[in-house]
Structure formats: C-alpha cells, structure tokens
Amino acid sequence: MPSLATLLWVAVTATTAPADDTPRAASLVEVPAAPSRGDTGPGDEAGAGPTSVFEIDGVATGDAPPMPPIEELPSRDSGEASAPPMPPVEELPSRDPDPGAAADKDKGPWIRGVQFGGPKDREPVAGGGVGFFDPGKLEDAGGAGGVVQIRGYIGLNFTVSERTDITARDPETGRFEQLKTLPYFGGGAANLYVGAPIYADVVYARMAFEFISIPRALPGSADVAPASTPVVLMESAALEVNPFAWAKRSPDWFRVGFKLTGGVFIVPFGLEDEQHDAPVRWFVSRPLAMSTGRVYPGSWIDAGIVLKWNPRFPASRRSVRPIELDVGVINGDACTRTRATDLLYRYQPIGQVVEVCEHQLRDSELTPRGDGSVLGITPDNNGNKSVLARLQIRPIGALNLGGSFVWGQHPPSGLTIPDFKGKTFIDADQAPTWRAGAHFDLNLDEALQSKFPLPHLRGEFVYGLDAAIPTADGATPTLSDRRMLGGYAQIAQPLWRRKKTRLPGLILQYRFDFADPDLDVPRVTESGGAARTDFADAYLYDEAMQGHVFGLRFPVLPRFALKAEYGLLLEDGGAENQLHNNFFSLQAVADF
C-alpha cells in the first residue's frame, strides 16, 4: 500500500505541471502481464504474455476489467433448438385483370368486381352474348376470373302503318278496304346481358334477357298493328367451356380453337338470327323469311349443347380464322318452333285454335292444339332431339360463305292429349322436320381498303320441310307435307367516312325479302280444283309475300345509331289479294 508521503508527492506534481491546451486522451498501451493463476504451469515465467492497461496522459491506471464473452444465439435454421420455419406465403391469382383497370378509361367504368360496358372497341350485345367468350382472347378476366360484365342495349321505335279490313271487299274493284292509318310507339326492344369468367380462358357463364314490345303484326288481320304486348325472352343462360385449355404445348388451332356451350342459347343457323338484335341489325324490321314468314322460325331459342371449332392461325395468313364449325344437339324441332313463333308474334292465345305447321288440306278443319313457350324457349314435345350444324368459311376476313342445317322430328299437329297420365306427344308417331340454309356476307370496304367507301353485301336463303305423319290405312288424311322457301338480299352503301372516328357517315341501304311459307299454295289439286291464296279464307299463313325496304342508317356515335325505313309489301294472289300494310319506321338504339 502506497505511503502517505508518496500520495502527497503525486498531488503536488499534478498541480504544478505546465498548462497544456491538448485534450487529454486515453490510450491503450501494452505492458507485461503476469500469468493468471489457472494458466501458470511449471517453467512458465512471469510476463509471458502482453496485457492492456488504460493510460491517461501517460499515466497508467491499472488493469481494465475483462469484457464478458458474447453469447452466440442459435440460428433459426440450425439444430434442434432452431425456431420453427415461417409458413410460405401462398400467392393466389388476382381477381383483378389489371390493378390499374379502374383508372383505365378504355376498359369502361368499374365497380369492384363488376364491369359496365367494356373496351371502347367492344362488339355490341347480339345473340345473347354469343361471341363474348373467345378462348385465347379473353381480356376481361384474371387468373381466377370473377369480373362480372354487365352490358345491354335499348331501342326506341316509332311506326306509321297502313291497315286492312279483310272482312270486307270493295264491290266494284274486289279489293280489301283500307282502314285508318295508325301511328304508334312500340315494337322496340331492350336487352340486359350479364356474363362472368369463372376461370380465365377455361369457363365462362352468361345470361341475357330481351325485353320486347310486340305489336302482334298479323298480315291479313283487320289490324296489322294492334296494341303492343310486352314480352320477356331468355336469350341465353349458358355455360361455355374451353375443353382443351390444359394443352399448353399444343398449337393455338387446337388449344384455343374449341368452345363447348351448354344451356339455353340462340340456335346457330345462318347469320341473321344470331344478329337480330337492334345494335347490329341493319334495318328496323327483320326479313320476313327469318322472322314471322313461316320459313325459318326466327329468334329460335332452345336448350341443348353445341361444340364450336373456330381455329386461330398466325396473323401472317390472309384470314386469321378462316373456318368456323358448329355442331350440336337441342331439345326442340323446327315444326314446333314455328308454332311457338306463331303464338309469340301473332295474336293467338295459348290453348285456342292454332294453325298447324304441316300443309293443311282444304277440306280439313283447324286443330285445337297449341305449342306455347316459356320465356321464348322452344317447348320440348317430341320424342327425340334435333341435330344441327353450321359451317362458315372466311377466305379473307371481310368475306363469309357458309351453310346451315337443322334436322329433327315432330309429333302430329292434330293430336290432343286429354290428360298426361298415359301416353303423350313423346310416345306418338314422329315425322321429319328440317331447315337448310346458305349465307353470303362481303364487306367490300374492309376487303379492298379503298379511298372511297364501298358497299356491304349480305344475303341468306332457306329451304325446309315439315312432313306430315302418314295416316292409317283407309283413313282420310287432313294434313300433308309443307315445303317452304324464302330469303333476303341487302346492300348498305356509306356515303362518306368521318376522319376522326373512321365511322361511316350516312348509310343508304335496301333489302329485298321473299317468303313463301307453303309452296303447294296456290296450285291445282288432283281433283281438278284450285288451292287459292286468299287472306280472307280459313287457311292462314300460307300466302307468299315480297318486301322492298328502303332505309337510312346513321351511326351518330360509336354505340348510338339512328335508323329510318319505308317498307313496301306485296302479296301473292293478284290485285284482289293485296293488303294495305306498307309502313314507315324510325328507331334510335344505343348499347352500353
């Protein structure tokens, strides 16, 4: 222990040291260190190893206390003492096809999970949304789908129509008397379409309702335009599946070329029926042969299943999709659908007297049976199913050539069932019923890319048969086979193109209609008599008619158009059988 004298000497020396402006610093210096007690062995000498002390301005203060050892914690990934690993984060496919889609004006307005309208260049609603699901090109769905599309259209019609009294003829000329011309609002339509991809390009669901105001236009009745009747039609309620989406390494013509549709849909036949909706229809009115003319039963809505093959090839080809083939099976048949169309568009209450679909022999009576429909869907009253096929060939994108065929069987129209405890229409004898058609569509403006606007041409031709069931031996037949023939040809000529939108300007258009629902009338019978065509007789819907429709169409905006037309209708049977049924119509239609 230092003595008191030593401590006093150190204190005096520190107080008398010269002033130094240099900051005092601590430094670590090496000095010999004595071995620790536990480490000294025989022969070890003191000072065998260096140690450290703190020195302040050259004055050592003694040994610094040793630093405690740093404890090394076990790693999360090592040994039994490791913490359990974190579970991996599962990355689910996004339901939003594009996180920025809500702000993308080109994709239309969005509410989370719902899309109203769609891209600016979208196609209008037609045929219950028949072409909205295109495998390989569906841009409105993410990996898990879920984006509900809501689309539709609204059409407003105004018509001025002539009217005929078929119960009275002028005694001098023998012609039907004309009634007061009737102006009315009606005959327009609205459509609401809802569709959603269930899983991207694999499964799609769609549903569409058409709200139509039918004026019950009946050629030959006292009023060709009576009070309109609102009707709701279910145009589609279908699931669509890409059956080969799993074949990732297959070429596009196979992997995205097929589409399977099941449920309720517009029967694929020709062009006009799937494109009868107001936004895509050229005229206000529909062709006679494809609507109420009893040639093809227009707006044929049925339940069944259809497989479409529409292969996609490299864009280097002149036509990216040069072929389209539909084959399918449906519940209804052409004869039954013809009767259902009569009830829908003509004023004939269900359960009352309805004209048959076969040819009615002149000495027979009307049959008290009617084929009704629910939401416009063809009733299934036959003992089998109908098969259908349609082929479309596009050598270039602007040209479409093709043919369609639907074949089935129907029960006898004269059969009545007092109750349904035993045999019904399904168990009765069946007779063939079929329709065959050909179509042509050429848009010269797209095909030739001319400096000046060129016309668009389209036409369809339909021939068919509703056969009668042979009678038992010795029985007097009341019905025979009915053969029908009809078609239309139309042309549309734009007068100019608009520079900014490239939309056509005012379009001049003309359509020629022809519909003969019964080729055996008029004719000379085997007994030497005459089967005459007369709107005043008891045999309805067998009169041939021609139509000349002159129209204007003006696309005001990309999805808003105005139409105007004048229809001149001519009836078979000479001057005495002419009706006063010419008309003038206006239509405004917008799709969203």
Side-chain angles (χ1 to χ4, degrees):
M1 181 176 179
S3 63
L4 180 58
T6 303
L7 292 176
L8 289 175
W9 181 83
V10 171
V12 171
T13 304
T15 54
T16 58
D20 188 1
D21 294 335
T22 303
R24 302 179 67 188
S27 59
L28 189 65
V29 296
E30 300 290 339
V31 296
S36 60
R37 293 180 181 178
D39 296 335
T40 303
D44 288 341
E45 297 180 358
T51 187
S52 300
V53 296
F54 279 100
E55 179 183 13
I56 301 177
D57 287 345
V59 180
T61 59
D63 291 338
M67 293 293 293
I70 298 176
E71 180 181 2
E72 294 185 359
L73 297 178
S75 171
R76 289 179 181 268
D77 298 328
S78 61
E80 298 180 358
S82 300
M86 294 293 290
V89 178
E90 181 180 4
E91 295 184 0
L92 297 175
S94 172
R95 291 180 177 268
D96 191 350
D98 182 2
D104 190 347
K105 297 181 180 180
D106 292 338
K107 290 184 176 292
W110 285 65
I111 297 177
R112 186 173 181 83
V114 179
Q115 179 188 18
F116 296 92
K120 291 182 178 180
D121 59 348
R122 70 182 183 274
E123 294 293 332
V125 173
V130 64
F132 281 177
F133 176 51
D134 189 1
K137 294 181 64 178
L138 188 63
E139 298 177 353
D140 295 330
V147 178
V148 178
Q149 305 173 13
I150 299 179
R151 304 184 186 180
Y153 69 84
I154 297 175
L156 173 64
N157 287 11
F158 175 75
T159 300
V160 179
S161 177
E162 295 179 343
R163 300 159 62 234
T164 306
D165 184 357
I166 64 171
T167 64
R169 277 188 164 97
D170 188 305
E172 296 182 0
T173 63
R175 298 185 177 184
F176 292 118
E177 293 186 358
Q178 182 175 2
L179 299 175
K180 182 180 178 180
T181 300
L182 176 66
Y184 65 95
F185 291 95
N191 190 294
L192 183 62
Y193 165 85
V194 179
I198 306 304
Y199 192 88
D201 278 350
V202 181
V203 183
Y204 192 86
R206 60 181 169 96
M207 180 181 297
F209 289 92
E210 183 177 10
F211 307 88
I212 185 170
S213 182
I214 301 176
R216 300 295 187 184
L218 175 59
S221 68
D223 295 326
V224 297
S228 299
T229 303
V231 177
V232 178
L233 306 178
M234 175 178 278
E235 283 199 334
S236 71
L239 286 175
E240 297 183 313
V241 178
N242 177 4
F244 302 113
W246 52 269
K248 301 297 184 182
R249 297 184 179 181
S250 301
D252 281 356
W253 65 264
F254 179 81
R255 182 173 57 87
V256 298
F258 290 90
K259 180 172 67 174
L260 188 65
T261 301
V264 175
F265 48 82
I266 297 286
V267 173
F269 187 98
L271 298 177
E272 198 275 343
D273 208 34
E274 279 189 340
Q275 300 181 22
H276 72 272
D277 295 275
V280 294
R281 191 171 69 228
W282 295 15
F283 295 83
V284 179
S285 59
R286 296 184 62 182
L288 293 170
M290 304 301 295
S291 55
T292 60
R294 271 189 150 238
V295 175
Y296 181 81
S299 298
W300 188 345
I301 305 171
D302 218 316
I305 189 168
V306 171
L307 178 65
K308 179 186 290 289
W309 183 51
N310 189 13
R312 187 175 66 187
F313 296 101
S316 59
R317 295 175 178 261
R318 299 188 65 184
S319 178
V320 177
R321 290 189 166 180
I323 188 172
E324 182 174 342
L325 176 64
D326 297 91
V327 292
V329 180
I330 55 176
N331 275 338
D333 59 82
C335 172
T336 301
R337 180 64 201 183
T338 297
R339 296 167 58 84
T341 302
D342 288 341
L343 288 175
L344 183 62
Y345 291 94
R346 309 176 191 271
Y347 188 71
Q348 293 286 352
I350 296 176
Q352 297 188 12
V353 173
V354 180
E355 186 71 14
V356 298
C357 63
E358 303 94 335
H359 169 73
Q360 191 171 17
L361 299 178
R362 286 311 192 243
D363 55 353
S364 64
E365 298 293 332
L366 297 176
T367 57
R369 170 180 162 232
D371 293 318
S373 62
V374 178
L375 296 178
I377 303 173
T378 304
D380 182 18
N381 64 357
N382 53 44
N384 54 80
K385 298 292 171 268
S386 294
V387 295
L388 63 92
R390 179 179 63 179
L391 174 65
Q392 301 182 72
I393 299 176
R394 300 180 181 88
I396 58 176
L399 175 61
N400 187 337
L401 302 170
S404 306
F405 185 76
V406 56
W407 181 94
Q409 291 185 311
H410 71 94
S413 297
L415 179 65
T416 58
I417 304 295
D419 56 53
F420 287 85
K421 297 180 180 179
K423 294 183 178 180
T424 66
F425 303 111
I426 298 174
D427 306 293
D429 294 335
Q430 310 282 307
T433 173
W434 54 266
R435 300 291 187 273
H439 67 261
F440 166 84
D441 185 275
L442 174 60
N443 191 338
L444 289 172
D445 204 31
E446 292 184 4
L448 301 180
Q449 299 293 319
S450 170
K451 180 179 180 180
F452 303 99
L454 297 176
H456 190 171
L457 309 173
R458 175 178 292 183
E460 290 193 61
F461 170 84
V462 180
Y463 178 80
L465 168 71
D466 290 336
I469 296 176
T471 58
D473 295 339
T476 301
T478 60
L479 302 173
S480 65
D481 296 350
R482 180 175 72 95
R483 295 174 175 83
M484 68 291 299
L485 175 68
Y488 70 92
Q490 61 191 32
I491 180 173
Q493 173 63 61
L495 297 184
W496 71 85
R497 298 191 193 101
R498 281 173 270 186
K499 294 182 179 180
K500 289 186 178 180
T501 62
R502 299 294 295 173
L503 287 174
L506 185 65
I507 302 173
L508 301 179
Q509 49 194 27
Y510 166 75
R511 184 181 74 217
F512 170 76
D513 284 350
F514 174 73
D516 190 345
D518 194 338
L519 294 177
D520 286 337
V521 180
R523 68 182 176 90
V524 178
T525 64
E526 296 179 357
S527 61
R532 299 177 62 248
T533 173
D534 189 349
F535 283 101
D537 63 17
Y539 308 103
L540 305 178
Y541 318 145
D542 57 7
E543 294 82 11
M545 299 183 66
Q546 287 185 10
H548 301 271
V549 183
F550 306 87
L552 299 173
R553 177 162 42 108
F554 183 61
V556 182
L557 298 170
R559 290 181 295 279
F560 177 64
L562 300 176
K563 306 176 190 177
E565 68 184 36
Y566 177 77
L568 176 64
L569 301 181
L570 302 174
E571 295 76 28
D572 194 12
E576 295 183 356
N577 203 42
Q578 297 301 304
L579 300 178
H580 303 280
N581 54 0
N582 299 335
F583 63 91
F584 173 76
S585 294
L586 296 172
Q587 183 183 71
V589 59
D591 72 276
F592 58 88

